[in-house]
Amino acid sequence: MFAHYLITRFNLRNSEWNLTKNNETLLNDEWMEDRMYLFENFCLPSVAAQTNKNFTWLLYFDTTTPEKFKKRIEFILSKHTNFKALFIDGMPEFYPKIQEFIANSSVNFPHIITSRIDNDDCLHKNFINEIQNQFSSQNFQAIDVIKGYTLQIAPNYILGKKEHLFNPFISLIELNKNPKTVWFSNHAQWKKENRITQITHDRLWLSIIHAKNKVNQFDGYGDVKWNDIKINFVVSENLDTLISKEQIPYSQWKFLSFLNKIKVDFNFLSKKFKKNIGIYKYK
């Protein structure tokens, strides 16, 4: 029926991406150690905990990855038969290598589903299943899960709700005939696509805001307690304990929540309005 691929780029060299939002150097050992911490404690446990295991996770690492990290990566992924570490020569090879892998591994499937996740974010344990529930043999249909949560972990722990159109958790269902895959375009460019379905009935992702984000800043809102949602967002045991202990009470950031809610609503409604009147379209 279909083959489903979850796809992550990890540390691929990119001439257009050299610094964090704090002007720190990217892709050196310090950056990699920090990113591995986030991956091992947030992203990996949440993907491993998916209730639906009918998918393959493709993780793309740079060929220049130091040997100590290669061994660490291969060890932690070896516990999961459907997780694949692929080492390639920088961002220029990323998209061609995705197409090559899928072409070689999905010849018996009439349809392809591709989903994306960044290596420092989290998925609801039913994320894969919810995406596959949208499958109806479509020729080409993007799936945009617009509701999620966001968690700031530095300098302190703050958890809130968020809505985000055309976000980094988007998926694509398509015929397996030279499939484009979800990575053929930056996630923000899906605003130009009319063949798109929005999932709004549940919050299915958790974005992590940390010191080495390239762009993102915390813009969550609302009184959300980690202990109320952690059953659906599986992280490492150590992180679970730490978040439960260190999360700042809503009363201490209530005004920030108010400002963030205005910001999130404005961005959401602005994108929706522009989409509805046809400002976003392919030229």
Side-chain angles (χ1 to χ4, degrees), residues 1-5 54 56 102-113 135 174-177 179:
M1 187 162 49
F2 60 77
H4 191 175
Y5 300 92
N54 182 29
T56 301
I102 290 177
N104 292 333
S105 63
S106 61
V107 292
N108 296 321
F109 296 93
H111 285 82
I112 297 294
I113 304 176
F135 179 78
E174 57 185 323
L175 277 173
N176 189 12
K177 294 181 179 179

Side-chain angles (χ1 to χ4, degrees), residues 252-266:
Q252 295 184 22
W253 66 284
K254 195 171 184 179
F255 184 65
L256 175 61
S257 171
F258 170 74
L259 296 178
N260 284 350
K261 182 66 164 66
I262 294 174
K263 177 183 176 181
V264 168
D265 284 351
F266 175 81

Side-chain angles (χ1 to χ4, degrees), residues 7-57:
I7 305 172
T8 298
R9 63 180 179 189
F10 205 99
N11 65 331
L12 302 180
R13 285 170 291 127
N14 187 346
S15 60
E16 298 178 359
W17 191 45
N18 297 312
L19 298 172
T20 70
K21 65 184 178 185
N22 297 322
N23 292 320
E24 299 168 319
T25 302
L26 287 165
L27 306 184
N28 58 16
D29 278 11
E30 180 185 356
W31 181 92
M32 190 66 178
E33 190 64 56
D34 184 76
R35 194 52 61 108
M36 287 296 294
Y37 171 83
L38 295 168
F39 176 69
E40 291 174 317
N41 287 281
F42 286 106
C43 187
L44 177 64
S46 76
V47 177
Q50 290 298 299
T51 55
N52 185 334
K53 308 293 186 184
N54 182 29
F55 70 100
T56 301
W57 192 10

Side-chain angles (χ1 to χ4, degrees), residues 31-240:
W31 181 92
M32 190 66 178
E33 190 64 56
D34 184 76
R35 194 52 61 108
M36 287 296 294
Y37 171 83
L38 295 168
F39 176 69
E40 291 174 317
N41 287 281
F42 286 106
C43 187
L44 177 64
S46 76
V47 177
Q50 290 298 299
T51 55
N52 185 334
K53 308 293 186 184
N54 182 29
F55 70 100
T56 301
W57 192 10
L58 309 179
L59 297 110
Y60 287 87
F61 299 87
D62 204 277
T63 52
T64 62
T65 303
E67 193 63 28
K68 63 179 179 180
F69 291 116
K70 283 185 178 180
K71 291 180 179 179
R72 185 168 160 188
I73 291 160
E74 289 169 349
F75 174 74
I76 60 177
L77 296 185
S78 67
K79 304 173 185 178
H80 309 277
T81 57
N82 58 327
F83 296 180
K84 311 293 183 185
L86 303 160
F87 293 88
I88 63 174
D89 190 17
M91 275 300 295
E93 284 198 352
F94 180 49
Y95 186 57
K97 288 295 185 181
I98 291 173
Q99 291 182 301
E100 179 183 314
F101 186 96
I102 290 177
N104 292 333
S105 63
S106 61
V107 292
N108 296 321
F109 296 93
H111 285 82
I112 297 294
I113 304 176
T114 49
S115 303
R116 51 172 292 164
I117 182 176
D118 291 338
N119 58 31
D120 53 351
D121 288 331
C122 259
L123 295 179
H124 187 290
K125 66 182 183 181
N126 291 330
F127 180 90
I128 293 291
N129 197 61
E130 289 289 347
I131 298 301
Q132 293 185 10
N133 282 343
Q134 303 301 312
F135 179 78
S136 185
S137 300
Q138 300 97 320
N139 289 342
F140 191 95
Q141 190 73 25
I143 309 297
D144 192 13
V145 181
I146 66 173
K147 290 184 177 182
Y149 298 100
T150 183
L151 172 68
Q152 176 184 287
I153 64 172
N156 42 39
Y157 287 79
I158 310 177
L159 174 64
K161 302 174 186 177
K162 183 173 179 178
E163 288 76 53
H164 188 178
L165 283 170
F166 321 118
N167 60 61
F169 302 90
I170 204 155
S171 297
L172 178 64
I173 300 170
E174 57 185 323
L175 277 173
N176 189 12
K177 294 181 179 179
N178 298 315
K180 289 185 174 181
T181 83
V182 73
W183 275 99
F184 92 97
S185 179
N186 179 280
H187 68 84
Q189 295 305 306
W190 287 97
K191 64 189 179 185
K192 301 176 181 180
E193 178 58 61
N194 290 323
R195 294 165 294 180
I196 189 165
T197 297
Q198 295 174 351
I199 295 179
T200 61
H201 65 273
D202 205 354
R203 297 186 180 274
L204 295 177
W205 45 262
L206 173 66
S207 63
I208 309 301
I209 308 303
H210 51 88
K212 288 183 169 54
N213 279 120
K214 173 62 176 173
V215 177
N216 295 347
Q217 294 182 333
F218 179 77
D219 56 2
Y221 70 89
D223 186 7
V224 182
K225 296 177 177 61
W226 172 247
N227 288 337
D228 291 339
I229 72 165
K230 69 178 187 178
I231 189 173
N232 291 319
F233 293 90
V234 177
V235 300
S236 71
E237 185 176 346
N238 288 340
L239 256 296
D240 179 15

